[in-house]
Amino acid sequence: MTAFHERRAEGDAQDVYEELLRQAKGLFEGERDLIANAANLSALIAFHLEGLNWSGLYFLKGRELVLGPFQGKPACVRIAVGKGVCGTAVAKGESVLVPDVHAFPGHIACDSASESELVVPLLKNGAALGVIDLDSPRKGRFSEADQQGVEALARLFVDASDWPEGR
Ligand code: SME
């Protein structure tokens, strides 16, 4: 079986994300469980986007991000807000696109194969509830189109899932 980071997506980025959004809508239809939807989202991304070695989610609990469902090697479980690429995306409340992780001060290396990274916050009513984190073994893997596409997936996932009381 081909490793997921060796798969090739067909078409340009816009087509790929249109298809991803269509499939995510189908998966979330009639299901609002947060963990189930997060698990399917991480797998959907991993198997549709080419050139990834990690795809997953972290959820904000207090002042820490805690590892959620993912595809890839086992990863660091807790990341403080403001630390690493993930914690920076939550602190800023906006996506962080890192073409070269070795040039990002404070990058947390979970898989030494990672060379570039895209982290998109899960936003609800302006507050960050967690992140979607994508890693690639290729420098410069992620474009503006990837950022916009994953932001659209994040909005869909947040709206389609039930969050703990008060969120
Ligand atoms: N690189 C991330 C940590 C999570 S792993 O990549 C899965 C960071 O710097 O926040």
Side-chain angles (χ1 to χ4, degrees):
M1 189 177 155
T2 318
F4 70 70
H5 63 83
E6 291 166 343
R7 285 165 194 252
R8 289 285 170 271
E10 287 170 19
D12 64 18
Q14 203 180 331
D15 293 341
V16 169
Y17 284 101
E18 271 174 23
E19 176 62 14
L20 267 175
L21 277 165
R22 200 183 62 75
Q23 293 208 23
K25 273 181 196 150
L27 285 168
F28 300 158
E29 206 171 277
E31 181 54 69
R32 295 196 56 85
D33 186 90
L34 184 65
I35 299 302
N37 286 348
N40 266 339
L41 180 60
S42 71
L44 187 70
I45 292 173
F47 281 84
H48 270 268
L49 294 187
E50 56 87 20
L52 304 188
N53 61 317
W54 204 89
S55 154
L57 295 92
Y58 281 85
F59 295 115
L60 189 62
K61 296 189 177 168
R63 296 293 295 161
E64 278 182 335
L65 285 164
V66 180
L67 184 63
F70 68 94
Q71 302 275 311
K73 285 189 181 171
C76 33
V77 173
R78 290 174 189 272
I79 300 172
V81 171
K83 299 289 180 195
V85 187
C86 293
T88 300
V90 168
K92 288 183 160 178
E94 58 190 46
S95 299
V96 181
L97 202 164
V98 183
D100 177 359
V101 295
H102 305 292
F104 187 96
H107 167 257
I108 301 164
C110 293
D111 181 344
S112 61
S114 298
E115 293 286 341
S116 60
E117 183 160 0
L118 171 62
V119 178
V120 169
L122 302 167
L123 299 172
K124 194 169 185 193
N125 303 323
L129 304 176
V131 298
I132 298 175
D133 180 16
L134 306 184
D135 284 29
S136 172
R138 215 165 73 216
K139 276 195 175 58
R141 159 67 183 82
F142 301 104
S143 65
E144 190 68 28
D146 288 296
Q147 182 180 324
Q148 283 169 16
V150 179
E151 285 172 354
L153 283 167
R155 285 192 293 274
L156 179 69
F157 166 70
V158 167
D159 290 345
S161 308
D162 285 334
W163 292 84
E165 288 301 316
R167 299 246 166 140

